[in-house]
């Protein structure tokens, strides 16, 4: 019995590492479909000086992840912030970036892949002289709805920071006060 328990425990660990959950209903191959996003397709939001395009929304992935593309002007990027719920994976498509993750500063030129775990203050800045482009996978999905809500705020008046912070809090996002990237 002990040998069987060890084997089962080992198998459970391997499945966990592979992202499988024995209690979760797995889709059959017939239920799974490719997700294809054509060039220039997606939902566009112009917020915080960035153009963000939702390429794969979490509604297409059963909430597992979302993929966005961020176009960042030179010197642009979000302030330091903390996600309580999501991990982020960034791939630098164009430009040069500097990422912060906790106390670490990371130089990331074109072709770099940067993983920023939840719960740690992080941000990025385009340190190049031309527009930068990032592909960002957010896991689990759903955070793309934050961009949608921010995009709905009035554009003909200054950004209401209190409202932004309220929306952010509803997504488990906090901005780190008195710190810029």
């Amino acid at each position: 019995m002990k040998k069987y328990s060890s084997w089962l425990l080992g198998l459970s660990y391997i499945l966990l590492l592979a992202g499988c959950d024995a209690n979760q209903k797995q889709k059959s191959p017939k239920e799974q479909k490719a997700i294809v996003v054509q060039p220039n397709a997606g939902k566009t939001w112009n917020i915080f000086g960035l153009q963000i395009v939702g390429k794969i929304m979490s509604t297409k992935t059963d909430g597992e992840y979302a993929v966005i593309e961020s176009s960042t002007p030179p010197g642009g990027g979000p302030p330091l912030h903390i996600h309580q719920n999501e991990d982020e994976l960034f791939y630098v498509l164009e430009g040069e970036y500097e990422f912060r993750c906790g106390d670490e500063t990371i130089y990331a030129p074109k072709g770099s892949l940067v993983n920023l775990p939840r719960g740690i203050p992080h941000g990025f800045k385009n340190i190049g002289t031309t527009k930068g482009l990032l592909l960002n996978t957010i896991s689990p999905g759903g955070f793309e709805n934050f961009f949608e809500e921010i995009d709905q705020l009035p554009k003909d008046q200054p950004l209401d920071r209190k409202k932004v912070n309220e929306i952010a809090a509803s997504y488990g996002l906090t901005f780190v006060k008195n710190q810029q990237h």
Side-chain angles (χ1 to χ4, degrees):
M1 183 68 176
K2 186 175 182 180
K3 186 176 183 179
Y4 178 75
S5 316
S6 299
W7 179 84
L8 187 57
L9 182 61
L11 177 61
S12 296
Y13 182 70
I14 291 168
L15 290 174
L16 179 65
L17 288 178
C20 299
D21 181 348
N23 297 320
Q24 188 177 35
K25 181 182 179 255
Q26 298 295 314
K27 289 184 177 182
S28 71
K30 273 187 162 180
E31 293 175 308
Q32 295 179 6
K33 294 184 181 189
I35 300 173
V36 178
V37 181
Q38 297 298 324
N40 302 317
K43 170 73 176 161
T44 301
W45 305 288
N46 290 296
I47 59 171
F48 304 135
L50 307 174
Q51 182 182 63
I52 300 171
V53 180
K55 293 301 214 176
I56 299 177
M57 308 302 244
S58 60
T59 54
K60 299 283 187 191
T61 67
D62 291 328
E64 291 182 23
Y65 64 92
V67 178
I68 62 170
E69 183 181 79
S70 299
S71 176
T72 316
L80 286 176
H81 58 279
I82 303 169
H83 293 270
Q84 294 304 318
N85 306 315
E86 299 88 15
D87 296 318
E88 294 185 282
L89 185 64
F90 291 87
Y91 184 73
V92 181
L93 296 168
E94 295 177 16
E96 289 181 271
Y97 285 84
E98 184 177 86
F99 285 84
R100 286 265 314 271
C101 184
D103 293 331
E104 186 178 5
T105 301
I106 303 155
Y107 172 68
K110 180 179 178 176
S112 297
L113 186 64
V114 180
N115 180 53
L116 301 175
R118 70 188 79 188
I120 299 175
H122 66 271
F124 62 84
K125 182 178 182 179
N126 177 354
I127 59 171
T129 57
T130 60
K131 176 189 85 165
L133 193 62
L134 296 169
L135 192 63
N136 177 5
T137 301
I138 306 166
S139 177
F143 188 78
E144 72 276 16
N145 297 314
F146 167 79
F147 303 125
E148 180 67 28
E149 284 195 49
I150 296 297
D151 194 50
Q152 299 304 311
L153 295 175
K155 305 249 190 283
D156 59 347
Q157 58 192 34
L159 195 58
D160 181 346
R161 295 285 178 197
K162 183 177 178 188
K163 184 65 177 166
V164 169
N165 287 332
E166 287 173 7
I167 294 169
S170 74
Y171 288 92
L173 174 71
T174 54
F175 295 101
V176 178
K177 293 185 187 308
N178 300 325
Q179 290 202 23
Q180 293 294 315
H181 175 74

